[in-house]
Amino acid sequence: MEGYAYTIWIVLLPFLVFLVTGVLSLRIRPQLAGWIGTAGILVTLVLSLLTAWNYFSAALPADGGWPTVIPVNYTWLRFSETLVVHMGVLLDPISIMMLVVISIVSSMVHIYSLGYMKDEPGYARYFAFLSLFSFSMYGLVLATNLFQIYFFWELVGVSSYLLIGFYYDRPSAVAAAKKAFIVTRFADFGFLVGILLLSWYSGTFDFLALNNPDGAAIAGAASATFMGASVLTWALVLIFIGGAGKSAMFPLHIWLPDAMEGPTPVSALIHAATMVVAGVYLVARLFPVYHMSGGAALEVVAWTGAITALFAAIIAITQEDIKRVLAYSTMSQIGYMMLSLGVSGYGGEEGLGYTASMFHLFTHAMFKALLFLGAGAVIHAVHSNVMGDMGGLRKYLPITHAAFLVACLAIAGIPPLSGFFSKDEILAAALHHNPAIYGIALLVAGLTALYMFRLYFRVFWGEEKRMPTSRTKLLW
């Protein structure tokens, strides 16, 4: 346990950077603020990769399962002898996987932003907000208990509000930020009620106690009933509503497309790889409890994910704004992950969905961030988000074209790229659980290839509409 004590700095360092760049944003050169923010996130990247290496290279215990390590755990609030709130760090396979995802994507976005946001007013403020967001996400995924995850969950909401509304002189950006904040607050109310129900009957907030296979902590909630369902089922559905709001599940999806008003690197960070998968991570973190609840809550998760995936994929085909296509694509792929969790269970083929969901979360974060950053290069070159203003750009943006093509092939599930393997496992899990959900997932896989290559060919092939306006942009 002592060997992982340094992991507390993964959380604290972005917060310190936020304080420095935020307080001094008007007193230091903007470029210096950018380099401080980037250096801070690169240090957390190194620490995250070191943590992953140390954890996965260690010998497994005799029972063969990956251990759960809590190297840091401070008592913060004590409500009673049994109900105590801690702030700490929990390390297990999914939290470390999320650490790697967040640190890699955040580092790439910081580096990309050094050039992309160079001439923007509020440059130092932008990097301060990025650091606040990174701090919030690290605290969320390393949470040891429900109270801590809710605390950082709300901080993620605040920091995303600040980033979406970065261009506060634009009425559309202000409206989009307020919409995202308000919609997710309604969802988070359900999350809070679910936490209170679960903690009231279990007497604990801690994930280790709640997820214990003996089910002792949740026995009271499982035995109490309300309107024909156990209190445990109601609590888990309410917690899922919080996750559905943050992950833009239907019908709480309405904030995500408008959130594209923020800077494109923000879209890559928040709406592709980190914040929108927080809901998936929440369900995965409490997955043993969902499984022990009897399956009703997981059915809600599965069907919500399936409907969202299909609904968003159909809308993506109709969009003309390049960032909105990617936004609805994100919504569809998050639905895929939720669907996969919903059809999962323990043992045999039933357990495949959980692993496949986490696998797809990892792969999707990488290729969707690449798509958003590629879209940012295209928008920067032609000064338009509308695909009707693009065409034939492969000759002028060869590097962006190559990177975008690889990402399109990956998200479409073309072998041997990663998207093929993660989607294949999700489809296998759905087939063994529910043929109807499998049919929806298969249709969505086809629609994904359709809307992504519609976007690709309209942007990089066809008739030339606008040419990049400077020699610098021709390089990318």
Side-chain angles (χ1 to χ4, degrees), residues 405-463:
L405 176 59
V406 170
C408 282
L409 292 169
I411 194 172
I414 306 300
L417 299 175
S418 60
F420 167 77
F421 298 100
S422 57
K423 286 189 174 186
D424 182 59
E425 297 304 294
I426 291 173
L427 290 170
L431 178 62
H432 285 272
H433 176 81
N434 188 317
I437 291 179
Y438 167 74
I440 292 173
L442 193 61
L443 176 59
V444 170
L447 292 175
T448 301
L450 175 61
Y451 66 67
M452 285 310 307
F453 279 98
R454 168 181 173 266
L455 184 154
Y456 165 74
F457 283 112
R458 292 192 63 187
V459 171
F460 294 103
W461 295 79
E463 181 184 352

Side-chain angles (χ1 to χ4, degrees), residues 14 196 225 256 298 335 449:
L196 294 176
T225 59
L256 184 62
L298 283 178

Side-chain angles (χ1 to χ4, degrees), residues 272-296:
T274 53
M275 189 187 90
V276 290
V277 299
V280 179
Y281 176 77
L282 176 64
V283 176
R285 171 54 69 207
L286 286 172
F287 185 76
V289 183
Y290 275 88
H291 176 70
M292 289 185 284
S293 70

Side-chain angles (χ1 to χ4, degrees), residues 15-305:
F15 182 67
L16 296 176
V17 171
F18 161 69
L19 290 179
V20 171
T21 54
V23 171
L24 301 179
S25 62
L26 299 178
R27 295 177 175 83
I28 60 176
R29 290 190 301 111
Q31 289 76 15
L32 179 59
W35 284 110
I36 291 172
T38 305
I41 204 68
L42 287 175
V43 172
T44 66
L45 171 62
V46 171
L47 293 177
S48 298
L49 294 176
L50 178 63
T51 302
W53 173 264
N54 289 340
Y55 184 86
F56 290 113
S57 63
L60 287 176
D63 61 6
W66 293 104
T68 298
V69 181
I70 302 180
V72 180
N73 205 26
Y74 297 105
T75 300
W76 187 36
L77 296 172
R78 183 177 293 277
F79 294 107
S80 68
E81 287 301 316
T82 56
L83 200 56
V84 181
V85 177
H86 297 96
M87 284 285 180
V89 171
L90 186 153
L91 301 177
D92 67 354
I94 62 169
S95 66
I96 292 176
M97 181 269 292
M98 288 295 293
L99 268 187
V100 172
V101 168
I102 295 166
S103 59
I104 289 176
V105 175
S106 294
S107 298
M108 297 304 105
V109 167
H110 274 74
I111 294 169
Y112 183 92
S113 297
L114 287 173
Y116 191 89
M117 301 294 291
K118 185 177 181 181
D119 299 323
E120 295 283 353
Y123 188 81
R125 173 169 54 89
Y126 170 81
F127 277 94
F129 291 165
L130 280 187
S131 296
L132 177 63
F133 178 82
S134 299
F135 160 68
S136 306
M137 278 304 304
Y138 283 137
L140 189 156
V141 301
L142 293 175
T144 61
N145 58 79
L146 280 168
F147 198 98
Q148 182 182 344
I149 207 171
Y150 185 78
F151 178 87
F152 283 102
W153 190 273
E154 295 304 315
L155 269 181
V156 166
V158 171
S159 52
S160 65
Y161 167 80
L162 295 171
L163 287 167
I164 294 166
F166 175 75
Y167 298 119
Y168 58 84
D169 54 343
R170 298 180 188 174
S172 57
V174 173
K178 289 192 292 187
K179 187 176 185 179
F181 191 78
I182 293 168
V183 171
T184 53
R185 291 296 74 69
F186 277 104
D188 292 351
F189 176 71
F191 184 15
L192 178 60
V193 174
I195 290 174
L196 294 176
L197 281 175
L198 196 56
S199 61
W200 174 263
Y201 281 91
S202 65
T204 182
F205 291 116
D206 292 341
F207 290 128
L208 287 184
L210 291 169
N211 289 332
N212 196 316
D214 65 12
I218 62 171
S223 59
T225 59
F226 176 71
M227 292 179 64
S230 69
V231 170
L232 179 61
T233 298
W234 283 109
L236 293 176
V237 169
L238 287 166
I239 289 171
F240 171 66
I241 289 173
K246 198 72 82 182
S247 292
M249 297 284 98
F250 178 83
L252 298 169
H253 67 283
I254 55 175
W255 65 269
L256 184 62
D258 291 343
M260 297 300 111
E261 291 290 339
T264 301
V266 169
S267 301
L269 177 64
I270 295 180
H271 309 122
T274 53
M275 189 187 90
V276 290
V277 299
V280 179
Y281 176 77
L282 176 64
V283 176
R285 171 54 69 207
L286 286 172
F287 185 76
V289 183
Y290 275 88
H291 176 70
M292 289 185 284
S293 70
L298 283 178
E299 284 294 319
V300 173
V301 172
W303 280 105
T304 303

